Amino acid sequence: MLAEIITIGDEILIGQVIDTNSAFIGKELNKIGVSVYQITSIQDERTHLLNAFKDASERVDIVIITGGLGPTKDDITKHTLCEFFNDELVENAEVLAHVEELFAKYISNTPISDINRMQALVPSKAEVLHNANGTAPGMLIRHNDVTFVSMPGVPFEMKHLMKESVIPKLAAYYKRPHIIHKTVVTYGMGESAIAKRIEAWEDALPLNIKLAYLPNLGKVRLRLSGKGPDYDELESAINNEIEKLHPLISDIVFGLEDDESIEETVAKLLTDKNLTLSTAESFTGGKIAEKITSIPGASKYFKGSVVSYATEAKINVLNVPKNIVDEHSVVSAEVALAMAKGAKDLMKTDFAIATTGNAGPSKGDSDADVGTVFIAINGPVSTYVQEFQMGSTRERVVEKSVNKAFELLQKEILKM
């Protein structure tokens, strides 16, 4: 069972808007055993739309379209669907009543216009999907054994329609296989080194289970994907392969991605052990603290962070001795250790983690090469610092360092 996702809008093509809709739709379709064959992004232009609809209808069973349903002249999806299906627009009384209700309740300061009322025009062959969160309805059209679904491009409107209407209808209409993905998360080893270590295991995988390597700045995810008619048998087979895999990479395995992220694991460990944490960040710019505070309940264990980006902040706020900076440079093991001690003393926490490094593009106040990073941890059991070379691209250096910081912190907490 194959689907194609078509996203419509110049704003996507010029990078003004990031296409998060396709990622969400792909996940939801996979849950019911539908594989996404292709994702296509196109302009709000008649010929492009007609060609995209035609091409998709010849290669997949389901075509999911988002965007182009607004009330303005540049949104032409409904008109183009009518042309493609040799149809015409008709007014839907229920949609019109809903649009008028939304304006009366929530947009009372702006009178409803004929342009707004035109949202109630839908192709006569379409099944209307109620959009409780907006004026543009979803539409479902079945043609020559292919199902076309058109939804607004606004993410929260699309997500509601997808979950409440589209997925239940597709699940009822099609007989589908089961698709299961399970992802093992590893830290501390590169993709090629892992591949070499697990080569024999990978070669022996059953034909219906595939392995994908997903490297990402300090961590590598190993995704096992299976497809089959019996869910329990498929899940058992994948779990069996994961059990075989674990002994081969036990020193670098973090866990299953679907369970929890590494920062969530750290949060749980700190909470269970009644421990507290503070951070002192330089080149990571508060990204460690950002990940921590994105988890509900972080106030139980996280006391705060000092983003000491400038050398003066390290000295004046974290009490890093100036002579250490002068002697060893701001990017050094000694400064990282002093930063961690300063944060721990300032916040009065059990653990403190500190980062200092040169993420580039210039060297700044240090002579250290771009990509040089020091991560220090000051804890109840031990205090230590490690040096890393994280590459030459600024974004990669920062993200890899954040991931490494959580990896080191998790190992240190487990010593308690």
Side-chain angles (χ1 to χ4, degrees):
M1 184 62 55
L2 299 177
E4 180 165 335
I5 301 169
I6 299 176
T7 59
I8 301 172
D10 294 351
E11 65 274 13
I12 296 174
L13 297 173
I14 66 174
Q16 189 175 28
V17 172
I18 297 173
D19 176 24
T20 59
N21 284 352
S22 292
F24 177 84
I25 293 169
K27 287 181 180 179
E28 293 302 307
L29 290 174
N30 254 252
K31 290 177 184 178
I32 62 168
V34 177
S35 299
V36 176
Y37 176 80
Q38 183 168 311
I39 298 174
T40 305
S41 293
I42 57 176
Q43 295 177 329
D44 281 293
E45 197 276 326
R46 170 184 166 276
T47 303
H48 280 92
L49 266 64
L50 290 172
N51 288 336
F53 297 163
K54 178 179 180 296
D55 292 344
S57 67
E58 292 173 352
R59 59 188 170 221
V60 297
D61 309 287
I62 301 166
V63 181
I64 305 288
I65 305 163
T66 66
L69 295 181
T72 53
K73 291 182 180 179
D74 61 326
D75 290 312
I76 61 171
T77 300
K78 287 192 295 187
H79 298 278
T80 312
L81 283 171
C82 281
E83 183 175 353
F84 183 74
F85 291 114
N86 191 25
D87 198 1
E88 62 180 355
L89 293 174
V90 297
E91 185 177 282
N92 184 285
E94 293 182 358
V95 174
L96 179 59
H98 174 64
V99 172
E100 291 177 339
E101 181 184 12
L102 287 178
F103 267 81
K105 281 186 176 181
Y106 305 112
I107 323 176
S108 55
N109 60 331
T110 303
I112 188 171
S113 67
D114 288 340
I115 292 178
N116 301 124
R117 292 188 178 94
M118 287 174 64
Q119 292 287 63
L121 296 177
V122 297
S124 68
K125 297 177 182 179
E127 177 183 352
V128 173
L129 308 177
H130 177 61
N131 178 8
N133 299 306
T135 59
M139 296 169 288
L140 185 150
I141 304 173
R142 293 195 175 101
H143 178 74
N144 293 339
D145 297 324
V146 178
T147 299
F148 279 75
V149 176
S150 178
M151 295 181 290
V154 180
F156 76 93
E157 296 182 26
M158 179 277 299
K159 289 178 180 180
H160 178 82
L161 278 166
M162 194 72 189
K163 286 187 173 182
E164 299 299 320
S165 297
V166 177
I167 290 298
K169 290 181 182 296
L170 294 178
Y173 188 72
Y174 291 103
K175 184 178 181 180
R176 300 145 287 108
H178 295 284
I179 299 175
I180 298 177
H181 302 288
K182 293 203 174 185
T183 303
V184 178
V185 182
T186 71
Y187 283 86
M189 183 176 288
E191 176 185 8
S192 58
I194 294 174
K196 184 176 180 180
R197 189 188 286 193
I198 66 174
E199 183 177 5
W201 168 84
E202 182 179 356
D203 290 342
L205 284 172
L207 293 177
N208 67 330
I209 298 177
K210 307 298 181 183
L211 174 68
Y213 294 83
L214 307 171
N216 181 25
L217 304 178
K219 66 180 180 181
V220 177
R221 296 174 294 164
L222 305 174
R223 188 190 69 224
L224 284 84
S225 300
K227 182 185 293 187
D230 188 298
Y231 184 91
D232 292 336
E233 287 185 7
L234 184 60
E235 183 177 45
S236 177
I238 292 178
N239 288 339
N240 184 49
E241 294 304 323
I242 291 175
E243 288 179 9
K244 295 177 185 177
L245 173 65
H246 267 279
L248 304 177
I249 53 173
S250 59
D251 56 322
I252 58 172
V253 166
F254 162 69
L256 288 176
E257 184 176 67
D258 293 339
D259 292 342
E260 56 189 17
S261 66
I262 191 168
E263 54 265 29
E264 288 172 331
T265 297
V266 167
K268 186 176 180 181
L269 285 170
L270 290 168
T271 302
D272 291 346
K273 294 176 180 291
N274 197 29
L275 298 168
T276 55
L277 172 68
S278 58
T279 64
E281 301 186 56
S282 183
F283 72 99
T284 50
K287 289 187 178 297
I288 296 174
E290 179 185 6
K291 283 183 175 286
I292 293 169
T293 54
S294 68
I295 301 168
S299 60
K300 294 178 182 177
Y301 55 87
F302 185 61
K303 299 305 178 185
S305 176
V306 174
V307 181
S308 53
Y309 203 72
T311 302
E312 293 82 358
K314 296 176 178 67
I315 296 171
N316 297 331
V317 180
L318 292 172
N319 294 318
V320 175
K322 186 176 184 299
N323 65 297
I324 291 181
V325 175
D326 293 338
E327 182 178 353
H328 299 284
S329 127
V330 71
V331 178
S332 63
E334 291 78 8
V335 168
L337 286 168
M339 289 171 63
K341 181 180 184 301
K344 185 177 180 183
D345 292 344
L346 181 65
M347 306 287 183
K348 296 179 172 52
T349 55
D350 299 297
F351 282 96
I353 190 163
T355 63
T356 184
N358 189 345
S362 62
K363 290 187 175 183
D365 292 342
S366 171
D367 293 329
D369 291 335
V370 172
T372 302
V373 168
F374 292 90
I375 302 175
I377 295 179
N378 191 321
V381 174
S382 62
T383 298
Y384 74 97
V385 62
Q386 284 190 239
E387 178 181 357
F388 303 94
Q389 177 49 246
M390 296 297 192
S392 59
T393 304
R394 183 177 181 83
E395 291 78 10
R396 288 175 60 86
V397 171
V398 172
E399 191 63 29
K400 287 176 71 174
S401 300
V402 171
N403 288 335
K404 178 60 70 172
F406 280 110
E407 176 194 343
L408 297 178
L409 181 59
Q410 180 197 20
K411 291 178 180 178
E412 198 64 21
I413 297 171
L414 290 173
K415 295 178 182 178
M416 299 292 293

